[in-house]
Amino acid sequence: MSSNGAGSVPRAPSPPKSGVRTVLQYTGIPPSWLDKRPRLPSRNWLIFLSVTSVVTGYYIYDRQQCKKVRQEYVDKVKDLATQPMGSMELPRLVTVYGARWPGDQDYDRSMKYFRKYVKPVLVAAAIDYDMVKGRRHGDIARQVAEKIRKERRILSGLDQASSGPMPLPGSSFEEKHKRELEGGIILVGRHTLKEYMAGLKRGWTDGLELVDREEQLSRVLESDGRFDEPEPEATAEAIIGEGEPIPTPSRLPSSKSIAMLTPSLRAPPPPPKSSESIPAHLNAPPAEIPPQPAMLLVNFTNYIGFTQIPLMIWDFFNERYKVREGAEAAYRLVMSNTRPFTAPPAEALAGPQDAFDPAQPQKPLLAELTPTDLDFDRRSESYYKKSVVREFLSDIESARKEYYDSLAKKLETARALARGTREPTKEEQENPPPTEVELRAERMQKELRWTADEEGWDIVRPDKDVEWDERFRNKLRVYIDPPPSTDDTADSHTS
């Protein structure tokens, strides 16, 4: 008895069960689950949870700050939307220009930036806007130049302002022009500023003749000989019957005389309206231009490429900075405080611009000595893809050469099938090859696109300065920050 009692160890008394545990035990939960003790996760789980929590918290904090900043500026301007207007009045209209960023296939990137960061404040202030997009380089410059030429023709009496069957408020040319001056314009990015200034200079410098780009290019392409037939070698004429010669290929009608050409190419195009039909004093560039709408310059940088992925990640988690920049820019336009557009002195711009050579050390930029509005957002051009800057024109030349190398064979096939010198193959019957007319139209469209891209790249390339004309001095204005109000000053002192 004593031996058996000495070998037994008394069991420790179990801790008293709480009321909650007793209740949970009778609900069918296994007792092993109730006896578990919490413990720290493993090292890998701790690392994962820490990194995920920090990233998620930073993202949530950034988006909360975005809403706070946007709402701050919306509250500043929302009172303007409640002001009463007359029954014949129209809201303020702003024209927004957004050019294509070099190297980006999405031409609408500038407008997306405007709609996301600038537009909310304009909408809160009940300001209407009209967006002008540039699908390819140079589109904004051409649209601005054409618009100015149309206005000059109307003011000179060469054209009549278009009007509807019923006069409506704000539909006359004078009212539209006044509304445009009062509304102002928004230029998103330095590349857009370059195109706008180039179009502004071209519109106030070129003549008032109506020039069709397609017709002008067709005159240049007529003499390049791409569609000329090679002269066949002279062969002896075979005499048959009563001495009638057999028609040889040299006696066949040329492709230029057959009725296969488009109406615009079958006959020489009518000559454009010459400057003699317009009085010289009207066709000459004006010595002074009228005041232009004030400009809001919006900073914009588009990160593209593998090497700029870290900058993209930084931007994703720091949206609040872009929200504040866009809201501040919109607030400047709403408050309508302006100053004259600053440019270097005339003597500083008189010298010819040196050719750009990336291998040679460059001279100090004028912005480093006297910063002006012509140097606006110059830093953004350093983020252009290096391959685009280096190979843009060479890519166009390669595409042009490849096209013309294949054009000769296509043209030979089209003429052979049109003249019946050979039968079409089975593949050609299923998929008819393009005719000569279609080849000429295709070539015209390609050349229009290539030449427009070359002209547009000459405007926006990073080594090219913004266009300037001395007639613009004291005629252009830029929106600036309004003077601090009494409430803002008190809030800043309190903080």
Side-chain angles (χ1 to χ4, degrees), residues 77-94:
V77 301
K78 64 181 181 181
D79 293 339
L80 300 176
T82 61
Q83 294 180 0
M85 295 180 59
S87 58
M88 305 296 287
E89 291 184 54
L90 294 174
R92 182 180 176 184
L93 178 64
V94 178

Side-chain angles (χ1 to χ4, degrees), residues 100-387:
R100 179 176 180 174
W101 182 268
D104 194 351
Q105 298 300 323
D106 186 2
Y107 68 89
D108 200 27
R109 192 76 66 178
S110 301
M111 286 302 177
K112 289 180 179 178
Y113 184 91
F114 162 77
R115 288 193 292 264
K116 187 174 183 180
Y117 302 111
V118 183
K119 170 187 168 183
V121 180
L122 299 184
V123 173
I127 295 179
D128 198 2
Y129 59 91
D130 184 17
M131 297 188 296
V132 181
K133 306 176 184 179
R135 293 178 176 268
R136 308 190 73 86
H137 298 312
D139 283 355
I140 298 294
R142 282 186 289 272
Q143 293 183 41
V144 172
E146 186 62 25
K147 177 176 177 295
I148 294 175
R149 276 197 294 266
K150 288 182 179 179
E151 293 179 355
R152 289 175 58 193
R153 291 182 63 89
I154 293 175
L155 294 175
S156 302
L158 300 175
D159 292 336
Q160 296 294 328
S162 59
S163 59
M166 181 184 299
L168 298 175
S171 61
S172 65
F173 174 77
E174 293 77 11
E175 291 175 333
K176 289 181 180 179
H177 187 64
K178 180 181 178 182
R179 189 185 183 198
E180 181 181 353
L181 287 177
E182 296 175 350
I185 62 175
I186 298 177
L187 304 177
V188 185
R190 178 175 176 81
H191 60 301
T192 306
L193 172 64
K194 283 187 172 183
E195 292 203 24
Y196 177 81
M197 295 296 288
L200 198 65
K201 182 177 180 179
R202 190 183 305 170
W204 289 105
T205 303
D206 293 349
L208 300 180
E209 301 89 353
L210 297 176
V211 180
D212 187 356
R213 291 185 63 247
E214 186 171 347
E215 176 184 330
Q216 196 175 27
L217 182 59
S218 65
R219 292 176 174 273
V220 177
L221 298 179
E222 280 180 355
S223 58
D224 65 354
R226 296 291 185 179
F227 280 83
D228 292 347
E229 293 188 84
E231 292 294 336
E233 297 181 0
T235 57
E237 295 180 355
I239 305 300
I240 61 172
E242 299 179 356
E244 292 292 334
I246 296 177
T248 60
S250 61
R251 295 180 179 272
L252 293 176
S254 172
S255 63
K256 295 182 179 180
S257 60
I258 59 177
M260 295 172 56
L261 306 181
T262 58
S264 61
L265 296 175
R266 189 180 305 134
K273 203 170 190 179
S274 61
S275 59
E276 287 76 11
S277 59
I278 301 176
H281 67 282
L282 297 178
N283 196 44
E288 186 177 356
I289 67 172
Q292 300 297 307
M295 297 183 291
L296 176 67
L297 305 180
V298 180
N299 295 278
F300 172 66
T301 302
N302 188 18
Y303 299 121
I304 300 177
F306 182 78
T307 59
Q308 298 184 16
I309 289 180
L311 298 175
M312 300 179 195
I313 298 175
W314 171 263
D315 261 9
F316 179 77
F317 288 102
N318 292 274
E319 286 278 321
R320 59 188 181 277
Y321 298 116
K322 291 194 288 187
V323 170
R324 182 171 293 278
E325 288 182 0
E328 289 176 351
Y331 186 66
R332 288 196 294 269
L333 184 137
V334 171
M335 302 309 294
S336 300
N337 290 91
T338 62
R339 61 164 173 79
F341 189 95
T342 60
E347 55 272 11
L349 299 173
Q353 188 173 359
D354 298 334
F356 176 71
D357 186 2
Q360 299 294 331
Q362 300 299 306
K363 298 179 180 179
L365 297 175
L366 191 60
E368 300 176 3
L369 305 176
T370 54
T372 64
D373 288 327
L374 295 180
D375 304 304
F376 161 75
D377 204 14
R378 189 185 287 271
R379 181 185 60 85
S380 64
E381 294 181 328
S382 63
Y383 294 100
Y384 290 173
K385 289 184 67 175
K386 300 298 186 293
S387 58

Side-chain angles (χ1 to χ4, degrees), residues 465-480:
D465 289 333
V466 180
E467 295 283 353
W468 177 253
D469 194 312
E470 280 302 312
R471 294 173 296 173
F472 299 161
R473 200 176 296 275
N474 299 325
K475 299 298 182 181
L476 304 181
R477 301 192 67 83
V478 179
Y479 288 106
I480 59 174

Side-chain angles (χ1 to χ4, degrees), residues 227 260-262 265 403 407 410-411 414 431-446:
F227 280 83
M260 295 172 56
L261 306 181
T262 58
L265 296 175
Y403 171 73
L407 178 62
K410 294 179 182 179
L411 191 58
N431 302 302
T435 62
E436 185 173 352
V437 176
E438 294 172 344
L439 290 175
R440 289 179 181 269
E442 180 188 27
R443 181 216 189 182
M444 175 62 68
Q445 294 302 319
K446 287 183 177 292

